[in-house]
Amino acid sequence: MNLDRALILLLASVGAVSGFAPGFTSRQTSRVVSGSALFSEEAAVSVEAEAPAAEAPAAAVEEPQSTYDTQIYIGNLSFDTVESDLRAAFQAHGSVTKVSMPLNRETMKSRGFAFVTMSNAEETAAAIAAVNESEITGRTVYASESLPKEKVAEGKKKYQAKKQRNEGSKIYIGNLNFDTTEADLSAAFAAYGDVKDCFLPTDYEGNPRGFGFVSMDEEAAAKAIEELNGTELDGRTLTVNKSLPKGQKATPKQIKLYVGNLSWGTEESTLRELFEEYGKVIDCYSPVDRETGQHRGFAFVTMDPDDALRAADETDGYELDGRILRVNEAQPKGYGGRSNENDGYDGGDAYDESADEGWGNDGY
């Protein structure tokens, strides 16, 4: 009994002292805290598991970009027109999304046409109606919806067929004197029938380029070609033949030779005499400077093929008036072979379409 009382007293003493025992309190507290933390984490996990998943933010909806790409074709533009002129003319009728104006690689100026894209069909129709036959940079321009290449080719074919019926055959006339006028050329051909049209192409400065086109009925054209080819007009021997489609050239009946490194004192008559030793000279021509009237140091001699080849072989390297001649077959302008330094002259009779995008030997 006394033992029991003693045990009870001992336990009571330990309980009283425990309130002042730091180590004990710390361990107990640690356990309590750990237990509380564990409970808190489990509770948190449980709450998270039970909570509904938060919705992901909605992805931004991109506005679809406009795919409208119908172009407006603008023709008859001044060579001085720039893109800002076109934008100003079309912006009054809607939103201009694109302006494309091809440039001449030599002058870096407009080639006379351009393409404009508006933002939708309504603006395109309004712009065409307003700009067509209006004036831009001093020229009356023509605007229309640009057609696919296939339709353009088909339309051109039909147009050429209709034009052929209405205007007859077109004749190419080469080696013209720069002073020859359209009236002079028309008069020469009028002797063989009705001249429906006559045209002399010019360069960007308005100077004649030395060739022209005449349109006549097919029968009259055939007679004019036969009678006028090889005849003289204003001191020049004409080359007259049927105009061929662009890119196609007839097999030459004669060969034109380029004669370079001429002495400034060499006369055309002296050159002609030299080449006549090898056969008939059909034409001999020394280009002259328009301002000084002085020949430019080279010439062209036209002969029959056999005579021309023999003359070129014999005279290349020949000394004339103190200068060593360079003689070879004249090549068309832009020819990829060895340059004959012909100073821009179109060595053949065919029209050089690279110099003027708007005109060709197939129609105008």
Side-chain angles (χ1 to χ4, degrees), residues 308-330:
L309 295 176
R310 189 163 65 93
D313 186 55
E314 296 288 338
T315 59
D316 187 37
Y318 182 87
E319 183 177 341
L320 181 65
D321 294 336
R323 301 293 294 273
I324 302 300
L325 302 183
R326 296 196 303 274
V327 183
N328 53 52
E329 184 176 350

Side-chain angles (χ1 to χ4, degrees), residues 157-173:
K157 187 176 181 181
K158 290 180 179 179
Y159 170 76
Q160 293 293 351
K162 182 179 178 181
K163 189 174 182 181
Q164 180 72 22
R165 291 193 299 271
N166 294 340
E167 299 185 0
S169 297
K170 187 168 73 171
I171 305 167
Y172 167 81
I173 306 98

Side-chain angles (χ1 to χ4, degrees), residues 258 287 289 296-298 300 333 339-346:
Y258 165 80
D289 186 280
R296 294 160 62 184
F298 62 93
F300 297 96
K333 186 177 180 181
S339 171
N340 57 24
E341 301 178 5
N342 61 12
D343 198 22
Y345 184 84
D346 184 358

Side-chain angles (χ1 to χ4, degrees), residues 10-208:
L10 178 62
L11 292 173
S13 298
V14 172
V17 173
S18 66
F20 302 97
F24 177 83
T25 303
S26 175
R27 286 195 297 271
Q28 293 298 324
T29 305
S30 174
R31 288 175 186 152
V32 172
V33 171
S34 299
S36 300
L38 178 60
F39 172 77
S40 299
E41 290 175 2
E42 290 175 352
V45 171
S46 176
V47 170
E48 288 179 0
E50 293 176 4
E55 294 184 4
V61 179
E62 296 184 1
E63 290 293 330
Q65 295 184 348
S66 173
T67 57
Y68 185 76
D69 60 358
T70 299
Q71 293 182 317
I72 301 173
Y73 170 80
I74 308 96
N76 201 42
L77 288 172
S78 166
F79 295 132
D80 295 324
T81 301
V82 295
E83 286 191 10
S84 58
D85 297 326
L86 292 173
R87 282 192 179 276
F90 281 85
Q91 279 177 342
H93 312 289
S95 175
V96 176
T97 61
K98 184 179 179 182
V99 175
S100 174
M101 186 172 70
L103 302 178
N104 181 285
R105 279 178 279 185
E106 295 180 1
T107 66
M108 294 309 294
K109 289 188 174 185
S110 165
R111 286 164 55 186
F113 63 94
F115 300 91
V116 171
T117 304
M118 307 297 287
S119 63
N120 56 55
E122 292 74 16
E123 292 180 357
T124 296
I128 290 174
V131 175
N132 186 42
E133 296 187 4
S134 67
E135 189 173 295
I136 298 179
T137 56
R139 293 288 296 275
T140 299
V141 301
Y142 302 95
S144 61
E145 184 176 322
S146 181
L147 299 175
K149 290 183 179 180
E150 315 83 67
K151 290 189 177 181
V152 172
E154 183 181 349
K156 185 176 180 181
K157 187 176 181 181
K158 290 180 179 179
Y159 170 76
Q160 293 293 351
K162 182 179 178 181
K163 189 174 182 181
Q164 180 72 22
R165 291 193 299 271
N166 294 340
E167 299 185 0
S169 297
K170 187 168 73 171
I171 305 167
Y172 167 81
I173 306 98
N175 203 36
L176 287 172
N177 189 311
F178 291 123
D179 294 327
T180 299
T181 65
E182 290 184 356
D184 297 332
L185 193 60
S186 292
F189 280 80
Y192 304 96
D194 180 37
V195 175
K196 297 179 179 292
D197 190 36
C198 179
F199 172 66
L200 296 179
T202 59
D203 60 21
Y204 285 99
E205 296 178 353
N207 299 311

